[in-house]
Amino acid sequence: MPTEPLSRRRIVAAAIGLIEREGADAISMRRIAADLGVGVMSLYNHVPSKDVLLDGVAEAVLSKIEFTDDPDAHWTDRVRLQARAFRQIAHHYPRSLMVVVSRQLHSAAGLLPVERALATLRSAGFGGADAVRILRMFIAYIVGSLLREVGVTPTFAPVHTRMIKADSVDAALFPEVSSLAPLLDECDHEAEFEFGLELLIQAIVAHSARSR
Amino acid sequence: MPTEPLSRRRIVAAAIGLIEREGADAISMRRIAADLGVGVMSLYNHVPSKDVLLDGVAEAVLSKIEFTDDPDAHWTDRVRLQARAFRQIAHHYPRSLMVVVSRQLHSAAGLLPVERALATLRSAGFGGADAVRILRMFIAYIVGSLLREVGVTPTFAPVHTRMIKADSVDAALFPEVSSLAPLLDECDHEAEFEFGLELLIQAIVAHSARSR
DNA sequence: ACCTGAACACCGTTCAAGT
DNA sequence: ACCTGAACACCGTTCAAGT
């Protein structure tokens, strides 16, 4: 059986598959090569280093976001759709998210979402400086939300009811955390995301009305 | 010279020092041991694994946040101060931030910020469910902002004027990005952080006024 | 041009041996 | 109880050799 020839594209795809199957920690040049049925060093004919390969993973995941846009819709609806499209990463490539978020890309690959968002905001009448600031705020919120969703940041909402019960959290020292433990324990990610998204959009609307 | 005995505390401190000096990638049990002047395996008398050690790093960094609070101040001012205290991490431990944010803590160490924030929101009259939702939104925004600040997420605002000039970004395909490149290129982190923080706080105020 | 195995300088961790 | 070196099963990458 004549296997498809090795290529950067195939290597990146294999890397993403491995990450999603076994987690980002499991990734190694040797594992990827084994998955592709080639020697380790063959990879280096198409990719200069593991670091650059991970950049490729980040780019590939970003480029797979499916944006649907209706240029005639109100800008708030367009922003909503773009934010939700972005959130799909958390569902389609949950274990790759940390790689996406932790790589500083130097290519144009991750630029399409930025271009779309800026175009939307500018068409809504925002000036360049405002558009950039607003975009940055949305990105911060979305990235932070996805990290929570993917289970990587419960640093900041880590209380499990079981911890209270096990007395590993002192109810006297943390009264609010203790009494709200059931609420902290559960999280409807979509509802939380939409709540914050709506609040942000309303805040922008109010802000631009004020400064008019 | 009688060196202080090895301890979990000293090992964590050495790890943080190493991360801040050489970056999170440079960290290894062997490097930490060398920095402490002991054999690698000595570490394992105080720490069960590298993973748990990194949890310790995250906890230690979080526990170093200096909160100042005035219970008599308006809740919006208290939230502002807490958010800014959190942001100090990005300045004091920039290279450790990724570790802090990527560790799922199972201890009570990271709980103080959560407790304080919940107490503040509840004292402002928010119900438990609202307090938790609002807290989650702030945390998402803050975490996302710090990741940008620390240079780890320019995935989403990566355009440097130099890229445009070097034609590595096609001005025809990315007109907004190209024309706004100078704005995307620079970022006053404090101003951006404050802009979004203020917007969020105003949004919460408006939201709670609406639902009253 | 593409593939490869051997080799090098690293890892984290187990284990048995020391005090 | 604490420390340790040797050993094991891994890493990423260089290099020289193959086609």
Side-chain angles (χ1 to χ4, degrees):
Chain A
M1 44 178 183
T3 33
E4 201 183 339
L6 211 49
S7 68
R8 187 192 146 98
R9 221 184 30 73
R10 276 191 72 211
I11 295 172
V12 168
I16 294 177
L18 182 57
I19 292 175
E20 291 305 326
R21 252 180 294 118
E22 308 196 19
D25 287 343
I27 209 183
S28 80
M29 297 302 272
R30 292 170 130 103
R31 285 293 314 269
I32 296 168
D35 281 12
L36 289 167
V38 300
V40 205
M41 292 317 299
S42 304
L43 303 182
Y44 287 86
N45 292 307
H46 304 90
V47 155
S49 69
K50 187 188 182 183
D51 242 43
V52 172
L53 171 54
L54 290 178
D55 286 343
V57 167
E59 288 168 20
V61 169
L62 280 176
S63 72
K64 276 173 183 156
I65 300 177
E66 285 179 27
F67 286 106
T68 55
D69 194 14
D70 174 5
D72 296 327
H74 193 264
W75 71 269
T76 53
D77 285 326
R78 297 175 71 191
V79 164
R80 262 184 277 269
L81 285 181
Q82 287 171 29
R84 286 177 196 141
F86 215 105
R87 193 171 89 92
Q88 293 306 308
I89 296 181
H91 292 130
H92 294 327
Y93 305 96
R95 309 181 89 169
S96 300
L97 181 68
M98 208 61 205
V99 176
V100 176
V101 140
S102 64
R103 295 267 122 194
Q104 173 156 1
L105 300 187
H106 295 287
S107 81
L111 236 50
L112 188 59
V114 173
E115 176 67 23
R116 283 173 171 278
L118 288 176
T120 302
L121 291 169
R122 299 231 53 186
S123 80
F126 292 102
D130 275 342
V132 169
R133 276 199 310 191
I134 292 168
L135 170 62
R136 284 187 177 138
M137 198 189 62
F138 274 107
I139 288 170
Y141 171 70
I142 294 172
V143 168
S145 295
L146 297 200
L147 286 181
R148 158 161 47 72
E149 186 155 352
V150 145
V152 100
T153 326
T155 298
F156 312 116
V159 200
H160 299 292
T161 311
R162 129 183 72 80
M163 289 170 63
I164 308 286
K165 287 190 182 139
D167 279 333
S168 80
V169 171
D170 188 331
L173 281 174
F174 301 102
E176 299 296 344
V177 163
S178 300
S179 75
L180 297 175
L183 287 166
L184 290 166
D185 216 356
E186 66 180 288
C187 184
D188 178 338
H189 293 296
E190 175 160 350
E192 298 285 333
F193 183 78
E194 291 291 330
F195 170 76
L197 180 59
E198 219 47 49
L199 220 54
L200 282 179
I201 291 175
Q202 294 309 323
I204 300 290
V205 170
H207 176 78
S208 60
R210 267 199 309 276
S211 59
R212 185 168 299 143
Chain B
M1 46 179 182
T3 34
E4 200 182 339
L6 211 49
S7 68
R8 187 192 146 98
R9 219 183 32 72
R10 277 191 72 210
I11 294 172
V12 169
I16 294 177
L18 182 56
I19 292 174
E20 291 304 326
R21 252 179 295 117
E22 308 197 19
D25 287 342
I27 209 183
S28 81
M29 298 301 273
R30 290 171 131 103
R31 286 291 315 268
I32 296 168
D35 281 12
L36 289 166
V38 300
V40 205
M41 292 318 299
S42 305
L43 303 181
Y44 287 85
N45 291 306
H46 304 90
V47 155
S49 69
K50 187 188 184 185
D51 242 43
V52 172
L53 171 54
L54 289 177
D55 285 345
V57 167
E59 289 170 17
V61 169
L62 279 176
S63 73
K64 275 172 182 155
I65 300 176
E66 284 179 27
F67 286 106
T68 56
D69 194 16
D70 175 5
D72 296 327
H74 193 265
W75 72 269
T76 53
D77 284 325
R78 296 175 71 191
V79 165
R80 263 183 276 268
L81 284 181
Q82 287 170 29
R84 286 177 195 142
F86 217 105
R87 194 170 88 93
Q88 292 307 306
I89 296 180
H91 293 128
H92 294 327
Y93 305 96
R95 309 181 90 170
S96 300
L97 181 67
M98 207 61 203
V99 175
V100 176
V101 141
S102 65
R103 294 266 124 196
Q104 172 156 0
L105 299 186
H106 296 286
S107 82
L111 237 50
L112 189 58
V114 174
E115 175 68 23
R116 282 172 172 278
L118 289 174
T120 302
L121 291 169
R122 300 231 54 185
S123 80
F126 292 103
D130 275 343
V132 169
R133 276 200 308 192
I134 293 167
L135 171 62
R136 283 188 177 137
M137 197 190 62
F138 275 106
I139 288 171
Y141 171 70
I142 294 171
V143 168
S145 295
L146 296 200
L147 285 182
R148 159 161 45 73
E149 186 153 356
V150 145
V152 102
T153 326
T155 298
F156 311 116
V159 200
H160 299 292
T161 311
R162 128 184 72 81
M163 289 169 64
I164 308 285
K165 287 189 182 139
D167 278 330
S168 80
V169 171
D170 188 333
L173 280 174
F174 302 102
E176 298 296 344
V177 163
S178 300
S179 75
L180 296 174
L183 287 166
L184 289 166
D185 216 358
E186 65 180 290
C187 184
D188 178 337
H189 293 296
E190 175 160 349
E192 298 286 332
F193 183 78
E194 291 291 329
F195 170 76
L197 180 60
E198 218 48 49
L199 220 54
L200 281 180
I201 290 175
Q202 294 310 322
I204 300 290
V205 170
H207 175 78
S208 60
R210 268 199 308 277
S211 60
R212 183 169 298 141

